[in-house]
Amino acid sequence: MKTKEKRLVLGETPARILDEYCDIYGVPASAAINVLIMDVLRKRLARARLSSGKNILQSSAEIRQTSDNPPKSRKKKASQIPDDFSPPRSIAQDEGLNYEKSLEVFIDWAKGKGEVKADWISTFRNACRGWIPERFPDLKKGNSEPDLHEF
């Protein structure tokens, strides 16, 4: 892909913000500005094209395809635990936990508190590594029946 050199003169505040952003994220100024152009100006240009009826440049899809940066995936929206939630058995088993009982405790916790999460499998994995074995040591394989009312 050919690059065209463009020079920008920034005011003091925008220059300071750009410098701080580049320092924090370890990116060159051109990369930060390219992302802004692709994310913000591309959308504004598409709206302007629609309102003016002109197609001066290539379409947004064509611009996206020629971008050096792949499109970012959208952030997953948080939701309540699905009724059919069934994470991989290996998550509990890798921690030495009884899968069925751990899942039962976890679902009761999520529904009882009305929890909303974006990634329920990761939340279950973290629970199996942390609070489930701490609060319910009897869920470790080989132990007697757990007292699930301890919660």
Side-chain angles (χ1 to χ4, degrees):
M1 177 180 158
K2 282 189 173 184
T3 58
K4 275 191 171 180
E5 184 175 315
K6 299 281 184 185
R7 298 199 180 259
L8 297 173
V9 177
L10 299 176
E12 184 179 324
T13 301
R16 195 174 62 244
I17 291 168
L18 180 61
D19 289 342
E20 184 177 349
Y21 178 90
C22 292
D23 287 343
I24 290 172
Y25 289 99
V27 297
S30 60
I33 291 171
N34 283 338
V35 169
L36 288 172
I37 290 170
M38 293 304 293
D39 287 350
V40 177
L41 295 183
R42 179 178 48 81
K43 292 173 187 169
R44 290 183 182 177
L45 180 59
R47 282 195 299 270
R49 284 183 192 148
L50 286 174
S51 64
S52 70
K54 294 180 182 177
N55 189 6
I56 305 167
L57 298 173
Q58 60 193 149
S59 72
S60 296
E62 292 170 323
I63 291 173
R64 234 179 290 120
Q65 287 174 352
T66 60
S67 170
D68 289 339
N69 301 331
K72 294 178 182 176
S73 61
R74 292 188 179 220
K75 195 172 185 179
K76 204 173 178 183
K77 287 190 177 184
S79 63
Q80 291 187 333
I81 193 165
D83 290 333
D84 63 345
F85 181 66
S86 83
R89 294 177 95 60
S90 61
I91 292 174
Q93 291 170 344
D94 288 350
E95 300 302 321
L97 297 172
N98 177 300
Y99 173 78
E100 287 80 13
K101 296 292 182 183
S102 297
L103 183 58
E104 181 181 337
V105 166
F106 180 77
I107 290 173
D108 286 348
W109 164 81
K111 288 185 176 184
K113 292 223 175 196
E115 290 288 333
V116 176
K117 302 289 181 185
D119 187 344
W120 280 105
I121 292 177
S122 293
T123 305
F124 179 68
R125 182 179 302 109
N126 288 331
C128 287
R129 290 176 181 159
W131 65 264
I132 291 177
E134 287 172 7
R135 293 184 190 169
F136 303 99
D138 290 340
L139 289 181
K140 287 277 189 186
K141 287 185 178 174
N143 288 346
S144 62
E145 275 299 306
D147 179 11
L148 297 179
H149 302 291
E150 182 183 312
F151 210 125

